[in-house]
Amino acid sequence: MKKGKKLYEGKAKIIYTTADKDLAIQYFKDDATAFNNLKKSTIEGKGVLNNRISEHILNNLSQIGIKNHLVKRLNMREQIIKIVDIIPIEFIVRNVATGSITKRLGIEDGTVLKEPLLEYCLKDDKLGDPLVAEEHILMFDWATKQELEKVKKMILRINDFMIGMFWGVGIKLIDFKLEFGRLKTNGKTEVILADEISPDTCRLWDSITDKKLDKDRFRKKLGDLIPAYTEVARRLGILHEQSNVSAVNVTKLRSIKKKK
Ligand code: TMP
């Protein structure tokens, strides 16, 4: 499938049109940003790893009946996705308190929450993605009551599934961000999971050592990010245990070949 024109460029991904009006190509960049673009860098190989990890998680979620926008991965950096009308809310799910909630509410870092906590942020970079209440979402028609109820049910299942999936490979799912969109088919509209699920959008801690295996390595200068993302991919079985050719090395090999 060939890329058409750029439809949208975000901080970590670019969306391109295709010859099929219902499908787009999602390209994973190596750019990393934090604190609403205040901190920026390019981390070679991040896009390749996120493409693979997100594909793995979304395919697993499909298998338990969570409909999502992924059609298939095209190559190292690109996926074909269904075009949806994104609900302008970031749905933040927290199992353990860390990050913004500890600063905002003075909750002690690492507090295990008695049940998953769902927070809503308005997707608006200019406003710094502010926290909003369900009442705001309904008041300003960002989503309907029915859509919210459906999304909440999906989120609880996604959280349960992902906690188990990561627990099985020695990783605690601390928190994560999800996005949903409206898909129109044959005149009917339904809400499906969209965007990516990767160490950019989740907090993942090693079960035994609490070592951070996610974008907090970049946000908080905890050391290299690529070995941590590679470790997540390896544990999920995406990169072969014995292989010493990581996804990143493959990218490098390709670019060396091209130069020759
Ligand atoms: P926070 O503690 O900074 O609010 O982040 C909560 C979770 O949401 C964490 O796993 C990181 C993720 N997240 C994003 O994916 N994108 C964002 O823009 C923000 C603010 C958080």
Side-chain angles (χ1 to χ4, degrees), residues 76-240:
M76 301 283 276
R77 285 189 182 272
E78 293 171 332
Q79 310 181 336
I80 302 178
I81 56 165
K82 294 176 186 161
I83 294 181
V84 295
D85 165 30
I86 286 282
I87 293 177
I89 298 293
E90 295 194 343
F91 297 84
I92 310 282
V93 190
R94 299 183 191 272
N95 297 307
V96 174
T98 193
S100 69
I101 194 171
T102 60
K103 295 185 197 103
R104 204 178 339 114
L105 303 178
I107 309 294
E108 194 182 339
D109 195 90
T111 305
V112 177
L113 301 173
K114 55 178 187 263
E115 52 189 83
L117 176 67
L118 178 57
E119 292 180 336
Y120 308 102
C121 293
L122 178 64
K123 258 174 79 69
D124 188 324
D125 282 346
K126 273 184 263 144
L127 299 177
D129 295 347
L131 192 70
V132 294
E134 202 169 312
E135 283 78 359
H136 294 107
I137 300 178
L138 300 175
M139 176 70 68
F140 301 113
D141 297 322
W142 293 322
T144 66
K145 185 92 191 148
Q146 290 87 326
E147 285 173 338
L148 268 188
E149 291 313 313
K150 184 174 175 203
V151 163
K152 281 198 260 183
K153 276 194 194 142
M154 286 168 88
I155 285 176
L156 286 181
R157 291 203 64 212
I158 294 168
N159 189 37
D160 275 351
F161 175 82
M162 282 180 36
I163 289 176
M165 180 188 72
F166 281 117
W167 186 252
V169 298
I171 293 174
K172 287 189 278 193
L173 177 63
I174 303 300
D175 60 26
F176 56 103
K177 187 254 320 184
L178 296 174
E179 294 186 26
F180 292 84
R182 302 178 185 97
L183 178 72
K184 271 197 196 127
T185 24
N186 306 326
K188 270 201 200 147
T189 304
E190 68 174 330
V191 173
I192 64 168
L193 177 64
D195 197 47
E196 69 176 289
I197 303 182
S198 72
D200 265 15
T201 62
C202 301
R203 282 199 179 92
L204 304 169
W205 296 1
D206 180 88
S207 302
I208 295 168
T209 63
D210 277 353
K211 182 179 171 189
K212 312 298 184 268
L213 300 171
D214 55 68
K215 204 167 103 177
D216 268 356
R217 301 200 70 77
F218 168 73
R219 291 190 193 98
K220 299 161 101 178
K221 282 201 186 158
L222 299 177
D224 284 353
L225 179 144
I226 293 297
Y229 283 33
T230 305
E231 177 65 15
V232 172
R234 193 187 60 75
R235 290 200 200 176
L236 289 173
I238 300 166
L239 302 179
H240 298 298

Side-chain angles (χ1 to χ4, degrees), residues 20-121:
D20 184 331
K21 68 169 182 20
D22 298 324
L23 300 178
I25 289 176
Q26 173 166 259
Y27 175 95
F28 286 77
K29 301 195 282 187
D30 281 342
D31 296 353
T33 66
F35 315 115
N36 200 19
N37 237 347
L38 280 178
K39 187 176 161 119
K40 276 189 225 178
S41 189
T42 302
I43 303 173
E44 194 183 336
K46 180 175 81 76
V48 174
L49 285 158
N50 281 349
N51 184 19
R52 295 290 297 272
I53 294 170
S54 192
E55 174 204 19
H56 179 83
I57 298 175
L58 293 193
N59 278 342
N60 274 280
L61 287 172
S62 277
Q63 281 171 21
I64 62 153
I66 302 289
K67 291 190 185 166
N68 63 68
H69 74 161
L70 177 65
V71 178
K72 67 168 192 162
R73 184 167 61 83
L74 264 183
N75 53 45
M76 301 283 276
R77 285 189 182 272
E78 293 171 332
Q79 310 181 336
I80 302 178
I81 56 165
K82 294 176 186 161
I83 294 181
V84 295
D85 165 30
I86 286 282
I87 293 177
I89 298 293
E90 295 194 343
F91 297 84
I92 310 282
V93 190
R94 299 183 191 272
N95 297 307
V96 174
T98 193
S100 69
I101 194 171
T102 60
K103 295 185 197 103
R104 204 178 339 114
L105 303 178
I107 309 294
E108 194 182 339
D109 195 90
T111 305
V112 177
L113 301 173
K114 55 178 187 263
E115 52 189 83
L117 176 67
L118 178 57
E119 292 180 336
Y120 308 102
C121 293

